[in-house]
Amino acid sequence: MKKIITLLAMAAFTLVACNPNNTDPDDPNGGGNDNDYKAPITIDGNFEDWAALDASKVTTLKCAGTAAKTDIKTARIYADKYYIFVYAEFDLSNYDAVNEAHFHFYINGDNDTSTGGYKGAFDQGETPCVDVMTEGDVIADGAVCDYDPSTFIWNGPANYVDWSDEYWGDPLELVGFVQGKGTKKAFEFQITRELYPAGKLAKTFTMGIDLLVNGWDATGALPNTDATETNPAGEAPLVEVSINK
């Protein structure tokens, strides 16, 4: 069943890509001459190319000192017509050994707070709105591994707060949708816009990331903020991401 869903999704994207009426220059399937396009980031676990980006077009997230989940030290996000690139730097100094580390993307791809669900480690008020989640390892059996996640689409009640295996449904193995490489200190990821599995990924959307070290409870999450009496975990809203032209 998973293979059938994946093949149907990829076929749908192919049809869109071949649609001559799709002329939106900011759409990955739109018109325009892209023969000269070169991805600004190469997903190879070497991070030097991040320094060449226009800093004004990069969203930078930093871990607040008094937040509860601090294993992701910083993150950078850069989005263009084709891809969303994410750099995440880890702080695993509190562990004698890291046997496993799981990494999630949570994406509100339609930028609509009336759809999706699951609050996670973020302040989403009364309208949790995650549409798509990816789940995969960056460390497995004590060794760094490439990020090759499963993808889940929210299929539960709109704005439902809690985790539910039932509402996330069966995983989709979407080859090429998200990939990542890195080290025990940092990872870089690439999200392919045209392979987004829950409709069209909006030009402006929101997202969050978390890291789960040696278990299935989040130990790092961004965005976050400093803890307060009313917000002791230092939870923050999902970060807004816009496509750079």
Side-chain angles (χ1 to χ4, degrees):
M1 182 63 178
K2 290 186 290 185
K3 291 182 178 179
I4 293 174
I5 293 174
T6 302
L7 290 172
L8 289 174
M10 294 183 71
F13 292 130
T14 300
L15 288 173
V16 172
C18 295
N19 183 355
N21 297 318
N22 183 13
T23 58
D24 184 349
D26 298 321
D27 189 309
N29 297 313
N33 184 354
D34 296 322
N35 292 334
D36 295 330
Y37 175 83
K38 181 179 179 181
I41 300 295
T42 301
I43 305 303
D44 55 8
N46 297 310
F47 311 120
E48 292 87 353
D49 44 5
W50 284 88
L53 295 175
D54 181 345
S56 68
K57 296 182 178 180
V58 177
T59 298
T60 299
L61 304 172
K62 293 186 177 180
C63 183
T66 60
K69 299 172 174 58
T70 59
D71 284 353
I72 305 178
K73 182 178 179 181
T74 189
R76 301 173 196 161
I77 306 168
Y78 177 83
D80 68 12
K81 177 177 178 179
Y82 295 100
Y83 305 108
I84 297 94
F85 300 98
V86 178
Y87 168 86
E89 188 173 326
F90 309 141
D91 180 2
L92 306 180
S93 60
N94 290 326
Y95 301 92
D96 292 331
V98 176
N99 298 316
E100 59 183 12
H102 317 293
F103 194 93
H104 291 102
F105 282 95
Y106 303 96
I107 304 173
N108 170 24
D110 57 7
N111 203 25
D112 184 349
T113 59
S114 69
T115 65
Y118 185 57
K119 173 184 174 298
F122 310 99
D123 179 6
Q124 299 188 64
E126 297 181 354
T127 56
C129 54
V130 174
D131 303 308
V132 169
M133 172 185 70
T134 71
E135 179 179 275
D137 292 339
V138 292
I139 298 174
D141 297 324
V144 173
C145 57
D146 291 350
Y147 189 67
D148 183 21
S150 295
T151 300
F152 299 82
I153 300 175
W154 183 257
N155 193 31
N159 306 137
Y160 185 82
V161 172
D162 297 324
W163 178 275
S164 170
D165 290 341
E166 177 185 0
Y167 295 156
W168 281 119
D170 293 330
L172 305 178
E173 307 300 332
L174 292 180
V175 177
F177 173 47
V178 185
Q179 56 181 303
K181 290 180 179 289
T183 69
K184 286 189 175 181
K185 293 184 177 181
F187 251 74
E188 59 185 357
F189 306 88
Q190 175 183 289
I191 301 171
T192 302
R193 287 187 64 204
E194 68 174 344
L195 294 181
Y196 184 71
K200 182 179 178 181
L201 185 62
K203 295 175 186 176
T204 297
F205 62 94
T206 58
M207 64 180 288
I209 58 176
D210 71 12
L211 185 71
L212 296 73
V213 176
N214 292 343
W216 287 101
D217 293 321
T219 58
L222 285 177
N224 63 21
T225 190
D226 280 312
T228 65
E229 288 186 5
T230 57
N231 182 15
E235 294 180 347
L238 300 172
V239 64
E240 185 176 278
V241 179
S242 294
I243 305 305
N244 290 297
K245 297 182 179 180

